[in-house]
């Protein structure tokens, strides 16, 4: 192999959370700042959480659904975030638990929170995954202490998503209001994506590594094979999937993966954090005033929706 070989460009895009204008601006900036040939053939990994908080979930999903036909030479990967899993559960497109158990089994472990979180009890709730019920619920205490602002409808801040489809928060009508192509998009979201050979530049040196992309991260305390198996089959009997919604437990790269160098890239955490091969790309966190960011490999360049493009 000659030194001149062009390394494949990989773009990992952080949580969008219903901010269509930020997504559009970020995409324009990626297109302008990356070599055109490299961009046209890039691997684009969206790290999940397309919905909630921001005002335009419907437009965000329209944009994402349009990408494969607009950029046919790119490869697009759409990871499932914890918010997307909950949205999917509510509109009845979450895959059934592989063991055949009913979704109502997922409620039991968390029933002590039902009243405070005001779980959804409308049409269709009887066989709905826990997270769908929490997503469309009406939280009792409206103020979110950790964020210093009011919740938007539910603990997931889902009201803007309902409103983007022209139905009130918590309405079972959302199931009919979401177009089939959006349901297909939600149904097909993957819980993990793996690559065998991704080039990354660290301290001026290019390295070839494996890559695992997962919305929140991988657990330190469980074997990697066991975790990947659950994520690949999308085991929805689990009430709360740590790889999609964990915090400290999924922050670091599990030791097993440091032994065979693997880039672990995630969104979810409301932070931009780069430490060795651990990439957490969620600068926006769903806040209106914060940017949506992407990281481009091999260069490790951070590109935001807020970059000012000179004409």
């Amino acid at each position: 192999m000659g030194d001149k070989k062009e390394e494949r460009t990989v773009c990992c895009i952080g949580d969008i959370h219903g901010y269509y204008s930020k997504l559009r601006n970020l995409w324009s900036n990626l297109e302008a700042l990356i070599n055109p040939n490299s961009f046209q053939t890039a691997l684009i990994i969206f790290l999940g959480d397309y919905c909630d908080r921001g005002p335009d979930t419907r437009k965000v999903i329209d944009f994402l659904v349009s990408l494969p036909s607009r950029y046919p030479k790119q490869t697009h990967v759409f990871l499932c975030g914890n918010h997307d899993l909950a949205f999917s559960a509510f509109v009845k497109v979450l895959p059934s638990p592989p063991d055949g158990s009913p979704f109502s089994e997922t409620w039991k472990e968390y029933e002590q929170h039902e009243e405070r979180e005001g779980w959804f009890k409308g049409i269709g709730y009887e066989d709905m995954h826990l997270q769908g019920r929490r997503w469309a619920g009406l939280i009792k205490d409206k103020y979110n202490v950790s964020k210093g602002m009011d919740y938007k409808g539910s603990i997931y801040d889902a009201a803007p998503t309902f409103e983007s489809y022209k139905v009130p928060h918590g309405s079972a009508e959302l199931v009919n209001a979401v177009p089939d192509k959006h349901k297909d998009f939600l149904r097909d979201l993957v819980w993990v994506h793996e690559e065998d050979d991704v080039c990354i530049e660290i301290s001026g040196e290019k390295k070839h590594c494996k890559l695992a992309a997962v919305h929140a991260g991988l657990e330190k305390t469980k074997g990697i094979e066991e975790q990947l198996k659950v994520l690949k089959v999308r085991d929805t009997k689990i009430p709360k999937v740590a790889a999609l919604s964990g915090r400290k437990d999924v922050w670091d790269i599990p030791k097993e993966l440091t032994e065979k160098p693997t880039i672990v890239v995630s969104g979810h955490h409301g932070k931009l954090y780069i430490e060795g091969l651990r990439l957490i790309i969620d600068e926006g966190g769903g806040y209106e005033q914060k940017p949506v960011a992407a990281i481009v490999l091999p260069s490790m360049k951070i590109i935001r929706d807020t970059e000012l493009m000179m004409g």
Side-chain angles (χ1 to χ4, degrees), residues 10-37:
V10 181
C11 301
C12 302
I13 297 177
D15 302 24
I16 298 156
H17 277 304
Y19 285 103
Y20 171 63
S21 58
K22 294 185 191 184
L23 169 61
R24 210 182 49 218
N25 292 344
L26 174 62
W27 190 263
S28 299
N29 290 344
L30 289 168
E31 201 157 20
L33 293 168
I34 295 170
N35 167 295
N37 290 341

Side-chain angles (χ1 to χ4, degrees), residues 17 75 135:
H17 277 304
T75 302
W135 184 77

Side-chain angles (χ1 to χ4, degrees), residues 122-180:
I123 296 163
Y125 89 92
E126 297 88 349
D127 190 29
M128 185 180 286
H129 191 281
L130 166 70
Q131 300 305 337
R133 294 192 65 198
R134 295 177 77 224
W135 184 77
L138 203 57
I139 191 151
K140 213 171 182 181
D141 186 354
K142 297 282 182 276
Y143 191 68
N144 180 345
V145 177
S146 68
K147 294 212 158 144
M149 61 175 78
D150 284 349
Y151 286 106
K152 295 176 180 176
S154 69
I155 198 159
Y156 274 99
D157 297 317
T161 299
F162 281 84
E163 288 153 14
S164 77
Y165 290 98
K166 306 280 190 283
V167 299
H169 176 69
S171 167
E173 276 306 303
L174 185 68
V175 179
N176 301 320
V178 172
D180 285 345

